[in-house]
Amino acid sequence: MSEKIKYEMEFVIQSSPQLLFQYLATPSGLSEWFADNVNSRGEFFTFIWDGSEEVARLLKRKTDEFVRFSWDNNEDECFFEMRIIVDEITKDVSLFITDFADDDEVEEAKMLWDNQVSDLKQVIGSS
């Protein structure tokens, strides 16, 4: 099995950190942009796309700052994290994505995040 590569992406989001966090950390928020439907039971979140399900465990969360998940079928230390960063001077809000992908799938994974975050911006009303 090949080693996964860590990559990071940044998106400027016109939103308050509090509102944005609701879309990153709650099943109802995530199901508006990340998956067709999301259910949670304790620390386990079930993401549903086109009838297929993936389960992720909520590893860490800090209100209005970040959430970190690990896919349940992960054999390694990989995770995906969505972190809210507020620029101290401009007060601009950015969403930092940290994720892992196989070497030959990094570009495809980045495109997927681009599309997902574009949906998120549309839902929030951020241009």
Side-chain angles (χ1 to χ4, degrees):
M1 191 164 136
S2 67
E3 185 85 8
K4 292 198 184 263
I5 293 174
K6 179 180 180 180
Y7 64 93
E8 297 177 324
M9 302 176 73
E10 178 182 3
F11 302 91
V12 175
I13 308 273
Q14 294 171 344
S15 166
S16 71
Q18 296 78 16
L19 176 66
L20 181 55
F21 187 76
Q22 295 307 306
Y23 285 95
L24 306 180
T26 65
S28 61
L30 286 162
S31 59
E32 289 206 41
W33 68 278
F34 190 74
D36 297 337
N37 197 7
V38 181
N39 301 309
S40 70
R41 180 166 285 136
E43 63 191 23
F44 293 97
F45 283 62
T46 303
F47 296 88
I48 302 161
W49 292 276
D50 295 327
S52 71
E53 294 186 2
E54 293 283 336
V55 175
R57 173 187 227 143
L58 179 62
L59 298 176
K60 286 184 179 177
R61 74 177 262 163
K62 185 168 184 188
T63 302
D64 299 339
E65 289 190 28
F66 75 93
V67 289
R68 180 182 289 180
F69 292 95
S70 173
W71 294 113
D72 223 23
N73 57 6
N74 252 355
E75 308 292 309
D76 44 32
E77 298 294 311
C78 296
F79 60 87
F80 67 99
E81 181 178 277
M82 297 176 280
R83 180 176 292 272
I84 300 167
I85 305 287
V86 180
D87 185 287
E88 287 185 25
I89 297 167
T90 65
K91 301 300 180 205
D92 287 344
V93 175
S94 293
L95 175 62
F96 268 77
I97 305 290
T98 303
D99 201 356
F100 293 80
D102 290 325
D103 193 18
D104 59 346
E105 295 175 357
V106 171
E107 287 309 310
E108 188 179 324
K110 284 183 175 182
M111 283 186 358
L112 183 61
W113 276 112
D114 271 333
N115 289 334
Q116 300 292 83
V117 173
S118 175
D119 289 349
L120 172 62
K121 286 180 173 184
Q122 205 163 17
V123 167
I124 289 179
S126 169
S127 52

